[in-house]
Amino acid sequence: MSHNFWNQVKSKYRLGELIHGKVERHFPFGIFVDIDDENVRGIVQITDFVDTGDMTPEMYPDVGSPIEAVVIGYTEDERNQVWLSVKPSVLQKSLHYSGFCAETRNS
């Protein structure tokens, strides 16, 4: 994909931004998330579910379940993936940051 394509993806799905999607498929390494975009899909690796302890595929959210996740990176190749995290600490930072930005805009 072109440099322009990835600039558009990064503009739409900014690092640290909370996005919404639906669990699409389970794999031993993580889940794919439908983020309602035909050009890219979300991925949550098994290591991006919990802050401490072990996560197993049996603990994944059900396919079709809504999910909120934070953008943490991109796979800029033919896979066209937006990397996501649902770790509580990452979600909390994102929510805190977005709340701070909203307060700053409203002041």
Side-chain angles (χ1 to χ4, degrees), residues 24-36:
E24 187 175 46
R25 295 184 70 190
H26 291 178
F27 289 94
F29 58 83
I31 63 171
F32 284 113
V33 178
D34 178 356
I35 54 176
D36 201 28

Side-chain angles (χ1 to χ4, degrees), residues 71-91:
V71 177
I72 59 170
Y74 315 93
T75 304
E76 296 183 46
D77 61 19
E78 68 281 350
R79 292 174 288 177
N80 296 347
Q81 297 169 338
V82 175
W83 288 70
L84 306 170
S85 177
V86 294
K87 285 183 178 180
S89 62
V90 175
L91 290 170

Side-chain angles (χ1 to χ4, degrees), residues 32-95:
F32 284 113
V33 178
D34 178 356
I35 54 176
D36 201 28
D37 190 316
E38 63 185 35
N39 296 310
V40 295
R41 65 178 170 184
I43 182 170
V44 181
Q45 286 199 319
I46 197 165
T47 55
D48 289 309
F49 274 96
V50 295
D51 289 313
T52 59
D54 293 326
M55 179 71 181
T56 64
E58 293 77 26
M59 299 164 64
Y60 290 159
D62 294 333
V63 171
S65 298
I67 190 168
E68 293 182 331
V70 176
V71 177
I72 59 170
Y74 315 93
T75 304
E76 296 183 46
D77 61 19
E78 68 281 350
R79 292 174 288 177
N80 296 347
Q81 297 169 338
V82 175
W83 288 70
L84 306 170
S85 177
V86 294
K87 285 183 178 180
S89 62
V90 175
L91 290 170
Q92 185 178 18
K93 285 179 188 174
S94 176
L95 291 172

